[in-house]
Structure formats: C-alpha cells, structure tokens
Amino acid sequence: MRGQGAGTARRARLTTLELPNFGAPAIEPELPADLFVQRVDELRRGMRQRGLDRVVVYADREHSASLSFLTGFDPRFEEALLVVGPDDVAILVGNECWATAGAAPLTMRRHLFQDFSLPSQPRHKSLPLSEILAGEGIVQGSRVGLIGWKTYSQPWMSDAPAYIVDTVRGNANADNVVNATALLNDAQDGLRVINGPEQIAYLEWASCHVSDGIRNLLLNLQPGMTEHEAVALLGWNGAPLSCHLMLTAGPRARNGLLSPSDRAIARGDPFTTAYGIWGALTCRAGFVVADETELPEAIRDYVPKLVGPYFEAVVEWLEALHMGQTGGTLSEIIARRLRDPFFGIFLNPGHQIHLDEWVNSPVWPDSPVQLRSGMALQVDIIPATGTDYFTSNIEDGVALADESLRRQLALQYPELWQRVTSRRQFMANQLGINLHPDVLPLSNMTGYLSPFLLQPDRALTVA
C-alpha cells in the first residue's frame, strides 16, 4: 500500500508558503537505565542464536554509537572495549574514561587498560590485554564475536585495531572469532535499527533541534556574512555531533562535506549546509539569490531542470514509505525518476539513522529488506550534477511506527504526538505530500525545500 496520491502525475511548482513553527521538546528526553539492561539481554539472545560465548564491542571517539547504545557510556578522548558474557558485562577503559564509565547507567565491571590512554600518559598499572580478556572468559575454545563499525564480505574481517583482533584470536583461536557487527547494525533486524518509544522521543528531540537550527540559518542568511558567522546561526546546543558541521558557499560548496571558513558569502553563491547531532541530521542546499533572475542565464531553469524533478522523486519516495515496503522499491523510484546521468545519484537513496548519522541502508537495487516498525530513516537523496546547476537537498529524518507503537508514543509523549500530527497535516495540506499512517516526520522541516535562499518562503509543492 502506498500513501494517497503516490505515483501520480503531479508536478512540482514554486509557491509562497509559511513554514509553521511546530515547536520542540522543552527538555531532552532521558533514556531509562533499565532500557540498557534490556538491550544487553537482547544482544545475548542474538549471541546464543549464533553460538557465541562472548561479544567484544570496540569503540573510539568517532565510532562510539554501538557502545553508547548498549551502555549509555560514550568514551571521550580514548578508545574503549566492552566484553559481554552470558551473565555480566565488563568495560576496558583508559585513564580519563575510568570515572565516566563508572557513572554509566549500565552497571559494568571496569578494567583499567592504559594503552587506551593518550600518548605518554601513565601506563604502569594495567595488566596485559590478553590477561584481562582471559579473565573475562575469552580463552581457547571460546566462540567470540567482534563488533566494530562495519560488516565485510568475509567473516574474519574487522575494523577494530589489529592488536585487539590479534589478541582476541590468540586467546580464543582465530577460527573461533568472527565479525558480529550485524547483530547491532544489520539493515533488516539489527538491534540498533529498531527503535522503541523512548529512543524515538530522543530522535525527535534531536531532529527538532537540528531542523530549527537550519531554519534559523535560512531565515537569517545574508550576503556579506562569513561562513563562520552563518554557521553560528545554527545555535549548536553542545549535544554530541554525529558529524562535523558543514557549511560552505561559493566555489568550495561544490566539493561538499567541508567545514566553514572566514570567506564572505556572496550573492549568487551556491550554498550547502548540514547539521547533525546524535540522532538527527538536517541538510539543505541551493543558491544565495532571491529568484532565478539572479542566476547566470545558462542555469535560470534551475528549478524546472533540477529542483522540480528532484522534489517530485523525493515526494514519491516519501509516499511509498510504509511497513513491509522493500528497500528495492525505494531504490527503483529514484532510479526511474532521476535516471538521467545529469542528476548524478550514486549513493544509496536513503539510509537508517541512530546515534550515528548512517547506521546502515536497506535501500539498494533489488534490496529485499523490508521496512519495519521502529526504523528511523534519512531522506538522503542528493544530486551530484558536477555542473553549474550545483545541487539541491531536502534531507531530514522520519520514523516508521505500527499502530501499537503509535499508541505508545501518543500516550507517553503527547506533545511529540501533536507535533508529528501537525507536521503530517502541513505536509498533506500545504506541500501535497500524503504520508502513510506508518510514517512519522521527526523534523520541523520535513518536505520543505526552498531553492532560492534569500526567499525562504518560496518552496516546492505538489499540492
């Protein structure tokens, strides 16, 4: 089943719209401590199904989402290693994370392993890694799963540091050690791709913050500002970033992914920005102009040639979302709509999001992965034209929820539910985007695309 109106011949057009202020949570939702116990228990069930005796989870500053998901502990400056056994949990930390690991909502036995500490810090109090792991049951004959960041084509491959992998293999025998990252990150049924009501409430809090930041930036962007002055309009609140702040204008904007500089933003510049904290990311791109007459004559058809077809494709993609939908169908929509090489679509058109910006993606050609209740997805469909037309971007997050989960959210988080309901109504009545009841827009900008940044109230609609 698709959302009402999906797949019809509706065409995008620019119109004047006021993006409502949907509001935001007054306080950051806090995950209850017993939720982390439940997550570890769920991991143990997966371990038993795979015949694993122990699971070892590696984390560092950039790749800490799996450890944080399981324990509520986020290593700072240092690496960390979690060992999950059939009955208890142990954490290996360096000098500076000793205290924070002890304050985690999940109770863990702590081991000081000072090789995780910064260069030249004290290293005289630690046992060798092999002895610590042996004490945690990683010995000859143990079946051990390694959880890092990625899965690979071969089960022996891991992105954990070689000295850790070699030590685990030395203790347990290499044939008994496999990559078990899919237990958490598998696109179909990994523990981290299915969110309960408490986690969805956190994702919505994060999405409100980043989308309101992007909205404030777009409403107040002015030529003559430096990129650093513009990025300050995002109002970062200190929440952990899921990726570096991105904002560039002018020639550097065509490279993407770059951080802001002291360059002054000029009228006529191409412009792109992305703001992501744990649980959410919002991106927009366009030109620093009021309308198409300020563009070079050769690209004054920017909206009908690029932005309009792109928006229509995203609308069909959004309206096709529902539980049971396959990632292959979502992929086909974008391939059919934007197959012209001009659009330059080359990454998965959409992916799952959690604390990290990209957990996995169920969307690829002929993907059999079916969308499930609790999945949170990014509308990450980005043209890379490589031409003077630059790009367009309408990336935000949505969640899928069956009737039972929707009832839970409405009961536990009535203000969240009112915001979700208001967003859906605006998208249907003003933008012409008719979402399936399963789809919960988490962002305060979902579906809102304004290509001319000096007129942010002119947006695309298929209404």
Side-chain angles (χ1 to χ4, degrees):
M1 177 179 178
R2 288 186 178 181
Q4 177 187 352
T8 64
R10 296 169 299 156
R11 301 303 297 268
R13 63 185 179 89
L14 265 178
T15 190
T16 299
L17 287 171
E18 181 179 353
L19 179 62
N21 182 354
F22 296 107
I27 59 172
E28 176 182 351
E30 186 173 345
L31 300 181
D34 61 0
L35 182 60
F36 298 99
V37 176
Q38 294 171 23
R39 289 172 173 178
V40 171
D41 286 342
E42 290 172 356
L43 177 62
R44 288 192 178 109
R45 282 194 286 274
M47 291 165 55
R48 289 193 293 269
Q49 291 170 359
R50 293 193 176 204
L52 298 174
D53 303 306
R54 301 288 188 280
V55 158
V56 174
V57 183
Y58 171 76
D60 57 32
R61 182 62 245 139
E62 190 172 358
H63 307 112
S64 63
S66 288
L67 181 64
S68 297
F69 168 80
L70 291 169
T71 69
F73 162 60
D74 171 40
R76 303 295 173 103
F77 297 110
E78 304 173 339
E79 304 85 54
L81 204 66
L82 186 75
V83 182
V84 179
D87 301 310
D88 54 11
V89 179
I91 187 79
L92 283 67
V93 292
N95 295 323
E96 296 191 72
C97 282
W98 179 260
T100 53
L106 183 75
T107 300
M108 299 176 286
R109 181 168 49 256
R110 284 178 293 168
H111 294 280
L112 181 64
F113 181 60
Q114 291 174 301
D115 281 334
F116 285 158
S117 304
L118 274 61
S120 296
Q121 285 192 359
R123 276 167 164 69
H124 62 285
K125 294 183 179 179
S126 297
L127 293 173
L129 180 60
S130 60
E131 290 188 31
I132 297 174
L133 295 180
E136 292 299 333
I138 298 177
V139 295
Q140 285 295 308
S142 299
R143 290 276 300 168
V144 182
L146 289 174
I147 293 181
W149 181 33
K150 305 176 188 178
T151 56
Y152 296 91
S153 60
Q154 299 298 321
W156 56 266
M157 297 174 68
S158 173
D159 47 63
Y163 77 94
I164 294 176
V165 177
D166 288 347
T167 302
V168 173
R169 288 173 177 166
N171 276 30
N173 187 303
D175 293 338
N176 291 332
V177 181
V178 296
N179 187 319
T181 306
L183 285 171
L184 295 181
N185 293 9
D186 182 78
Q188 179 70 74
D189 55 16
L191 296 182
R192 290 212 297 121
V193 304
I194 307 297
N195 299 282
E198 297 89 355
Q199 189 68 55
I200 289 176
Y202 179 87
L203 300 180
E204 196 259 354
W205 169 82
S207 197
C208 284
H209 177 71
V210 297
S211 59
D212 283 350
I214 294 290
R215 174 189 172 133
N216 188 59
L217 168 64
L218 297 181
L219 289 176
N220 294 285
L221 181 67
Q222 293 295 329
M225 285 181 171
T226 68
E227 292 172 355
H228 280 138
E229 289 170 338
V231 84
L233 295 171
L234 295 173
W236 177 45
N237 67 355
L241 296 170
S242 60
C243 57
H244 59 276
L245 291 175
M246 288 170 265
L247 187 149
T248 46
R252 291 199 318 138
R254 301 183 186 278
N255 297 322
L257 303 183
L258 299 179
S259 299
S261 72
D262 275 329
R263 179 189 179 274
I265 298 167
R267 201 172 190 104
D269 274 348
F271 180 95
T272 182
T273 186
Y275 179 25
I277 62 175
W278 279 5
L281 181 81
T282 290
C283 306
R284 290 298 186 270
F287 283 89
V288 186
V289 297
D291 57 42
E292 64 275 9
T293 64
E294 296 187 67
L295 295 174
E297 185 172 356
I299 62 167
R300 287 181 183 168
D301 59 348
Y302 173 60
V303 170
K305 183 175 178 64
L306 172 60
V307 184
Y310 167 70
F311 183 74
E312 292 165 7
V314 172
V315 169
E316 184 176 349
W317 190 97
L318 282 167
E319 292 184 335
L321 293 176
H322 60 80
M323 289 185 332
Q325 181 64 279
T326 65
T329 298
L330 299 177
S331 180
E332 185 277 331
I333 289 169
I334 302 306
R336 169 170 43 82
R337 288 278 194 168
L338 305 178
R339 65 164 55 96
D340 189 320
F342 164 74
F343 293 103
I345 304 291
F346 67 96
L347 295 178
N348 309 56
H351 61 84
Q352 292 148 331
I353 189 170
H354 197 264
L355 300 181
D356 38 3
E357 192 274 328
W358 182 305
V359 185
N360 208 334
S361 177
V363 186
W364 68 82
D366 302 318
S367 166
V369 175
Q370 293 187 343
L371 304 185
R372 295 178 56 192
S373 178
M375 285 187 177
L377 300 169
Q378 281 292 109
V379 187
D380 188 355
I381 305 164
I382 303 176
T385 71
T387 71
D388 289 343
Y389 286 89
F390 185 47
T391 189
S392 183
N393 197 335
I394 189 174
E395 182 173 353
D396 290 283
V398 300
L400 296 181
D402 60 16
E403 188 174 354
S404 173
L405 180 53
R406 295 198 297 271
R407 282 198 304 267
Q408 285 181 277
L409 286 165
L411 180 64
Q412 292 179 231
Y413 304 98
E415 293 180 355
L416 174 154
W417 192 249
Q418 181 57 54
R419 288 190 295 272
V420 166
T421 301
S422 297
R423 293 175 193 131
R424 286 177 54 91
Q425 290 171 347
F426 172 76
M427 292 176 71
N429 298 336
Q430 299 298 315
L431 301 180
I433 303 173
N434 298 288
L435 300 175
H436 190 281
D438 293 343
V439 182
L440 314 181
L442 302 180
S443 162
N444 282 334
M445 292 187 69
T446 306
Y448 195 85
L449 178 58
S450 178
F452 303 131
L453 304 182
L454 298 184
Q455 273 204 6
D457 60 345
R458 290 189 72 203
L460 273 291
T461 176
V462 291

